[in-house]
Amino acid sequence: MGVDNRTAFLHSKRMASHGELRLIGENYDPGFIGMMKEDDGYGSSDDFEGALGNDQDTADNGRPPKKKKKFHRHNPHQIHELESFFKECPHPDEKQRRELSRRLALESKQIKFWFQNRRTQMKTQLERHENVFLKQENDKLRAENDLLRQAIASAICNNCGVPAVPDEISYEPSQLMIENSRLKDELNRARALTNKFLGRHLSSSSANPSPSPSQGLNSNVEVVVRRTGFCGLNNGSTSLPMGFEFGHGATMPLMNPSFAYEMPYDKSALVDVALAAMDELIKMAQMGNPLWIKGFGDGMETLNLEEYKRTFSSFIGMKPSGFTTEATRETAMVPLRGLALVDTLMDANRWAEMFPCMISRAVTIDVLSSGKGVTRDNALQLMEAEFQVLSPLVPIRQIQFIRFCKQHSDSVWAIVDVSINLSNAANALMFVNCRRLPSGCVIQDMDNKYSKVTWVEHSEYDESTVHHLLRPLLSSGFGFGAQRWIATLRRQYSSLAQLMSPDIHGEDINTVGKKSMLKLAQRMAYNFSAGIGASSVNKWDNLNVGNVGEDVRVMTRKNVNDPGEPLGIVLSAATSVWMPITQQTLFGFLRNERMRNQWDILSSGRPMQAMFSVAKGPGQGNCVSILRGAAVNGSDTNMLILQETWSDACGALIVYAPVDASSIRVVMNGGDSSHVALLPSGFAILPGVQTDGPSMQPDIDENTSDGCILTVGFQILVNSVPTAKLTVESVETVNHLLTCTVEKIKAALSVTQLGSVE
């Protein structure tokens, strides 16, 4: 075998063992197929030097050695042109081959056999990769099967203590035939029920199952699964990208779907929906006018609903009666690699941790396809989530949806969500207040270690369930829209970059202590958001008391064994009001510790000072701080305040909780923060929206005067005995605290107009 051909052969062997599937046109040595004979241009195996045999061997057989044939290696320009054309058209016709031959100064046969060898090379490589993947899956299933056999063999009856399976399980053909018949009956019943829910005819559904047009999705199988918990959720790896473990999933409780019953669904139908949703998302992200109408100046884009109806067909049913459409699109550069963001979005826990003020609950119901390797190409999973705005006047949106990830090239991914209904027809919660049309993001890696993210949000919701104070915010898209997702994403990754820096403001603290303190602040902010939105994660009970206003939500729950908060009866009260001042002005006032005594009852009228602060992003407002009140009669107080603050284009947050000084010292030394008991209170600021014309912008500029929306929330322990009864006096006390705090803020800022906007 010649040196050149042997080198090419070894290189192709290394490529075949590579563990990551690539798109057509990659992981390929163009020089290997580029070596063709100059005399006739053929690329078949008989023409390669390695197929001619060794000269020494032929001489030993008594025959004169053959003259070594010359080969032609294409130059880089020819290889580049052939590769580019191959990506667009792997099967060129005669006319295209003649054009390539003329343009590249190659014979037509050389062009023909280059493409033949190229296709053969890719087919062989993909088959090898697929074999490796299938072998890994087979080994995994074999190991799981062995574990199940061992568990069955060693099972012990709890009542009598004898083996639960005394004899070997029979695998006789007759028994297998009976079991097979039973399973077929179950499958037929499930198929009929599935087709009934999906509105499809049984004959067409069963006779012509829809095959998957994509690899990695075995979609022509109808499945019936039982789910009593969530599957596919990676709880062992919750570290966020960039290497800094911002929490370990401890702040996000393990959650179950809202249903736990026999759940039949047609896998092929879900794949069809996923592919259609992906196609729509890509077009929504790329198309411009007339689908998207640009506002005046730097105004937001508005979806042209008439053009949308002409361009796309609805594949999840007609728009429910009385629902309103909201659609937004936003593009931004984010300081992370694309695959890191893909990994975060495809993990329910990490996704919820990345957007804690937008997602109060997230769970993976089932993983239909885990995708190809680390790229997550063709990953498809069923999910359920609760989306929230930090206001008690906006109901939580509980949505079941499928999430589909597709890698479109080496550096481009797309992830799409679309609502589905897995419940039976008797379930009245089907799209109860919202449904999500194809929404998601297109992620493109850039050369500067940034990613270009284009986010599209498209939903239909029941506007009658939303208080009129918040309707302009939602209709503008700043409640659940793309601008809010992008703003949160940029702030979170800027925060992670800041936390990776060795420079820390304030007293000396090691990395372990900083992480422990940030975990405590993360749990505090998450519990505050859950209390505002009445998430189903915490078992809140709504209270209706005569003296409490309609715009105030009062809830209660009992803590019996959670060490992360005081034991007893917890009362939560929250409301939202209109403030005729800018977001920046209100945020600066509420986070200023020197002005805190003007509204905070915990300060006892004394000024407060910041003992310690950890910056979480650019600017002075994004940080976690420890506050301490001024000493009284020369003695230091033992009660400190943990506070987290941040602000971006779509809102701001000030959340705090009293903590014991000794507990904070343990946390700052790297101790476990999960046993620090705290109850959060605080403020969420939502931007005011100018709704005149198609350009709708949030009011965060100092030069505007329309105002913003302030949400005030308190969580207070009203009785340390969990079995005690809640009294009306306790509810009225917390309601009075809420009202007084708003009035004090109004007085301090000389605001004369509070309340709702008509």
Side-chain angles (χ1 to χ4, degrees):
M1 183 180 292
V3 175
D4 291 339
N5 197 29
R6 182 162 54 251
T7 302
F9 175 77
L10 293 175
H11 183 65
S12 65
K13 289 283 286 182
R14 286 195 298 272
M15 288 165 51
S17 63
H18 198 274
E20 179 181 352
L21 290 178
R22 299 286 187 180
L23 297 177
I24 293 179
E26 301 169 5
N27 281 353
Y28 160 68
D29 183 4
F32 179 60
I33 294 179
M35 295 189 298
M36 299 182 180
K37 297 193 304 180
E38 289 182 338
D39 54 346
D40 58 11
Y42 281 77
S44 63
S45 60
D46 292 336
D47 296 325
F48 286 108
E49 181 182 351
L52 300 178
N54 185 278
D55 293 340
Q56 184 62 40
D57 293 339
T58 57
D60 293 342
N61 292 333
R63 291 176 295 181
K66 293 182 180 180
K67 184 179 179 180
K68 185 181 295 185
K69 295 185 179 182
K70 296 181 180 180
F71 290 85
H72 170 70
R73 180 184 291 273
H74 299 325
N75 61 45
H77 171 70
Q78 292 171 331
I79 294 174
H80 176 74
E81 291 295 323
L82 289 169
E83 286 288 342
S84 299
F85 196 91
F86 184 84
K87 291 181 180 180
E88 298 294 333
C89 179
H91 295 271
D93 56 24
E94 183 64 26
K95 181 179 179 181
Q96 292 171 319
R97 289 197 299 269
R98 286 198 303 268
E99 173 62 23
L100 283 173
S101 175
R102 183 193 62 79
R103 184 152 48 100
L104 301 179
L106 294 173
E107 295 183 11
S108 179
K109 289 183 178 180
Q110 289 179 297
I111 299 294
K112 176 181 178 180
F113 288 106
W114 188 94
F115 276 89
Q116 286 183 350
N117 290 333
R118 183 68 174 86
R119 292 192 295 268
T120 302
Q121 170 76 9
M122 289 308 303
K123 179 180 179 182
T124 302
Q125 181 181 346
L126 290 175
E127 287 176 350
R128 288 173 177 171
H129 284 304
E130 186 69 17
N131 289 338
V132 172
F133 174 76
L134 292 175
K135 184 178 182 300
Q136 294 174 349
E137 290 294 315
N138 184 54
D139 293 341
K140 180 180 177 181
L141 292 173
R142 191 187 305 276
E144 292 178 353
N145 187 42
D146 291 341
L147 290 176
L148 290 174
R149 287 176 180 270
Q150 295 174 10
I152 293 175
S154 60
I156 301 297
C157 178
N158 294 329
N159 296 328
C160 57
V162 300
V165 184
D167 300 319
E168 289 292 329
I169 300 176
S170 174
Y171 292 99
E172 293 295 329
S174 59
Q175 296 294 329
L176 293 178
M177 291 177 63
I178 295 174
E179 180 67 10
N180 185 43
S181 177
R182 184 185 66 81
L183 292 175
K184 282 184 177 180
D185 291 338
E186 285 189 16
L187 180 60
N188 290 333
R189 290 195 299 269
R191 181 183 290 118
L193 187 60
T194 301
N195 291 323
K196 176 182 177 182
F197 292 156
L198 296 175
R200 297 163 60 176
H201 295 292
L202 180 60
S203 58
S204 61
S205 175
S206 58
N208 300 307
S210 302
S212 170
S214 301
Q215 294 181 351
L217 297 175
N218 299 322
S219 64
N220 56 345
V221 179
E222 292 181 307
V223 295
V224 179
V225 296
R226 181 180 296 276
R227 292 283 180 257
T228 56
F230 53 87
C231 300
L233 192 59
N234 182 8
N235 295 320
S237 175
T238 57
S239 60
L240 292 175
M242 303 175 64
F244 195 89
E245 296 180 350
F246 196 127
H248 301 269
T251 60
M252 308 299 294
L254 301 183
M255 294 164 285
N256 294 324
S258 60
F259 49 86
Y261 49 81
E262 194 77 13
M263 183 183 60
Y265 53 88
D266 186 348
K267 188 175 182 180
S268 64
L270 296 184
V271 173
D272 292 341
V273 171
L275 293 172
M278 178 63 69
D279 180 67
E280 180 171 323
L281 174 70
I282 296 299
K283 292 179 180 178
M284 291 277 284
Q286 295 177 345
M287 295 176 68
N289 194 29
L291 183 64
W292 293 95
I293 302 175
K294 187 73 173 178
F296 298 110
D298 295 330
M300 295 169 51
E301 293 177 309
T302 303
L303 180 65
N304 185 340
L305 296 181
E306 293 300 324
E307 183 66 22
Y308 174 82
K309 293 177 182 178
R310 286 192 294 266
T311 306
F312 304 103
S313 59
S314 177
F315 51 86
I316 62 171
M318 299 297 294
K319 178 179 177 181
S321 177
F323 274 34
T324 300
T325 300
E326 62 179 23
T328 52
R329 183 174 68 173
E330 183 75 1
T331 300
M333 302 295 293
V334 181
L336 82 161
R337 306 305 295 174
L339 189 57
L341 180 55
V342 169
D343 288 338
T344 298
L345 296 178
M346 297 303 294
D347 184 290
N349 261 16
R350 292 171 59 182
W351 177 50
E353 283 192 354
M354 181 58 65
F355 303 95
C357 294
M358 302 181 66
I359 306 168
S360 60
R361 173 180 171 272
V363 56
T364 300
I365 301 171
D366 192 16
V367 178
L368 282 74
S369 172
S370 58
K372 297 178 183 177
V374 297
T375 65
R376 309 304 293 269
D377 183 30
N378 282 336
L380 178 63
Q381 55 197 37
L382 305 180
M383 301 183 69
E384 183 175 279
E386 292 179 357
F387 301 91
Q388 66 178 2
V389 170
L390 291 183
S391 171
L393 307 183
V394 179
I396 279 183
R397 295 180 175 181
Q398 181 175 334
I399 302 177
Q400 296 170 7
F401 57 94
I402 54 175
R403 175 163 290 179
F404 181 44
C405 175
K406 180 68 179 175
Q407 184 180 18
H408 292 271
S409 69
D410 260 355
S411 58
V412 177
W413 292 263
I415 299 177
V416 64
D417 298 345
V418 62
S419 288
I420 58 172
N421 181 57
L422 296 179
S423 307
N424 56 44
N427 189 356
L429 295 178
M430 178 179 178
F431 306 139
V432 60
N433 64 352
C434 176
R435 68 173 190 169
R436 206 169 186 211
L437 279 68
S439 303
C441 58
V442 178
I443 306 165
Q444 180 181 1
D445 264 339
M446 309 303 287
D447 295 335
N448 56 357
K449 295 185 179 180
Y450 274 66
S451 292
K452 179 182 178 182
V453 181
T454 300
W455 205 291
V456 176
E457 280 296 319
H458 191 190
S459 300
E460 295 170 344
Y461 66 99
D462 185 2
E463 191 178 46
S464 64
T465 62
V466 181
H467 192 281
H468 63 84
L469 175 62
L470 277 297
R471 289 179 185 177
L473 183 74
L474 267 61
S475 62
S476 69
F478 283 94
F480 295 98
Q483 286 74 16
R484 192 178 176 210
W485 290 97
I486 287 291
T488 304
L489 184 65
R490 297 182 67 178
R491 174 171 49 81
Q492 289 285 64
Y493 275 102
S494 296
S495 173
L496 289 174
Q498 180 77 23
L499 295 175
M500 294 290 290
S501 172
D503 299 328
I504 302 175
H505 302 287
E507 300 177 0
D508 293 336
I509 182 174
N510 57 32
T511 303
V512 177
K514 179 170 68 170
K515 288 173 59 177
S516 184
M517 181 175 171
L518 292 176
K519 281 183 62 177
L520 181 61
Q522 184 186 25
R523 173 162 64 90
M524 175 181 67
Y526 172 76
N527 289 341
F528 174 76
S529 300
I532 294 293
S535 169
S536 62
V537 175
N538 296 324
K539 305 300 182 181
W540 291 105
D541 295 323
N542 284 309
L543 296 177
N544 293 318
V545 182
N547 294 334
V548 177
E550 295 181 356
D551 296 343
V552 178
R553 173 188 287 164
V554 179
M555 303 179 296
T556 183
R557 60 185 173 89
K558 297 179 180 180
N559 178 34
V560 179
N561 53 12
D562 184 2
E565 60 183 30
L567 301 181
I569 300 177
V570 179
L571 197 65
S572 172
T575 189
S576 293
V577 296
W578 176 259
M579 297 288 289
I581 55 176
T582 64
Q583 173 183 316
Q584 291 183 358
T585 300
L586 185 57
F587 176 71
F589 169 75
L590 293 175
R591 63 169 295 272
N592 191 333
E593 64 272 9
R594 295 187 300 272
M595 299 180 180
R596 193 181 187 96
N597 60 341
Q598 299 185 43
W599 57 265
D600 187 7
I601 190 174
L602 295 177
S603 67
S604 301
R606 304 190 306 271
M608 306 193 78
Q609 60 183 7
M611 293 176 53
F612 176 82
S613 179
V614 175
K616 291 187 60 181
Q620 297 182 350
N622 298 329
C623 62
V624 175
S625 307
I626 299 294
L627 307 180
R628 176 177 58 189
V632 180
N633 298 326
S635 60
D636 292 337
T637 177
N638 193 44
M639 183 59 65
L640 304 177
I641 293 178
L642 173 68
Q643 177 174 278
E644 178 176 2
T645 59
W646 57 257
S647 177
D648 59 31
C650 291
L653 184 74
I654 305 99
V655 58
Y656 61 91
V659 290
D660 185 75
S662 59
S663 299
I664 282 295
R665 283 193 293 268
V666 171
V667 171
M668 293 178 65
N669 290 328
D672 185 11
S673 64
S674 62
H675 294 282
V676 177
L678 53 80
L679 287 175
S681 299
F683 309 94
I685 305 174
L686 305 176
V689 176
Q690 301 174 1
T691 58
D692 296 334
S695 174
M696 294 182 291
Q697 292 285 357
D699 180 26
I700 60 173
D701 190 349
E702 291 282 1
N703 297 324
T704 59
S705 59
D706 279 12
C708 59
I709 299 170
L710 174 65
T711 295
V712 186
F714 290 102
Q715 294 184 32
I716 297 176
L717 183 71
V718 296
N719 198 313
S720 59
V721 180
T723 57
K725 292 184 178 181
L726 184 65
T727 63
V728 176
E729 289 76 11
S730 299
V731 177
E732 291 179 347
T733 299
V734 175
N735 182 53
H736 179 71
L737 173 63
L738 196 69
T739 303
C740 287
T741 301
V742 173
E743 292 296 330
K744 288 180 179 180
I745 294 172
K746 178 182 73 171
L749 295 174
S750 300
V751 174
T752 59
Q753 179 187 357
L754 278 179
S756 303
V757 175
E758 299 299 336

